[in-house]
Amino acid sequence: GMHTHWATTSGGTVFHMTPPTSADDVYFDVNSFPMPLGILTINSNALCHNLDWTDVENFPDMAGNSQIEIYGSLLFSPNMTATYNGFYLFKSNDLGNIIDFSTITNNVGNIELNGNGSWLLMSNLIFSGGGGGISLTKGTFNTNGKTITCGWVQTWGGGNRTFTLGNSTINCQGWWVANPESLVFNAGTS
């Protein structure tokens, strides 16, 4: 089964008995894809705490189109690709999470931030073809001066939300704001 591919240590031979949960950190490193151009396919809804590709080599691809719920940080590497076109759902209740797509252009259709936590964008966020979008429904999102190119940005929902742009450049076709009474919007110089 799928869980036999999840070793308990880097390069290890002891495997988890179940797929990762919202409490499990998932790391990909030099031992994860020993052959060039390996593929990780997300073909059913997936969960993890942190998803970290920073030490990967051999240019593997994250593929698939099912939803992935991330309860911590997302860290990509310039030594990988991501043809994944599913839905990223960030659901952390912790402060200090990082979203870093490195140099990856996203095929993804949507990113939603929906937790009581906070996320700091550490890379430009470019959706292929300018489509797709970002939803902030609960929590704090700081674009940290990065450039975002997407189809739309929206913020809605009854949860407390803080959207901080700083000096980011946002290239999108539309902005939608609903439930402004629970939104703190810091436009900065954007």
Side-chain angles (χ1 to χ4, degrees):
M2 179 182 85
H3 60 270
T4 61
H5 296 285
W6 298 102
T8 58
T9 61
S10 177
T13 57
V14 176
F15 298 98
H16 289 282
M17 298 306 296
T18 60
T21 70
S22 62
D24 293 318
D25 292 327
V26 175
Y27 297 98
F28 296 102
D29 65 14
V30 65
N31 293 308
S32 300
F33 298 93
M35 301 298 295
L37 307 175
I39 299 173
L40 169 75
T41 302
I42 300 173
N43 57 10
S44 63
N45 288 351
L47 303 168
C48 68
H49 183 250
N50 293 313
L51 180 56
D52 186 342
W53 292 75
T54 55
D55 293 328
V56 77
E57 294 183 5
N58 293 322
F59 293 93
D61 181 46
M62 187 173 101
N65 58 14
S66 295
Q67 175 176 295
I68 183 166
E69 293 182 15
I70 300 172
Y71 288 79
S73 296
L74 171 67
L75 305 168
F76 277 178
S77 166
N79 297 324
M80 65 177 287
T81 59
T83 58
Y84 174 75
N85 62 0
F87 176 68
Y88 292 97
L89 179 55
F90 291 92
K91 295 189 72 169
S92 180
N93 289 319
D94 299 325
L95 300 177
N97 297 296
I98 293 171
I99 299 174
D100 187 348
F101 285 98
S102 184
T103 58
I104 307 298
T105 296
N106 290 284
N107 294 319
V108 68
N110 193 7
I111 293 174
E112 181 177 344
L113 301 114
N114 185 356
N116 291 316
S118 67
W119 297 270
L120 180 66
L121 187 62
M122 295 299 289
S123 62
N124 294 332
L125 180 53
I126 302 168
F127 291 79
S128 63
I134 301 168
S135 297
L136 174 62
T137 55
K138 189 177 0 174
T140 299
F141 183 45
N142 184 336
T143 61
N144 194 30
K146 303 303 179 189
T147 297
I148 297 175
T149 302
C150 61
W152 48 265
V153 176
Q154 65 181 7
T155 179
W156 58 275
N160 291 330
R161 297 159 288 143
T162 301
F163 208 130
T164 301
L165 300 179
N167 64 346
S168 289
T169 300
I170 312 295
N171 303 304
C172 68
Q173 298 168 6
W175 277 85
W176 291 273
V177 176
N179 310 101
E181 65 279 359
S182 60
L183 172 66
V184 175
F185 187 77
N186 301 313
T189 59
S190 290

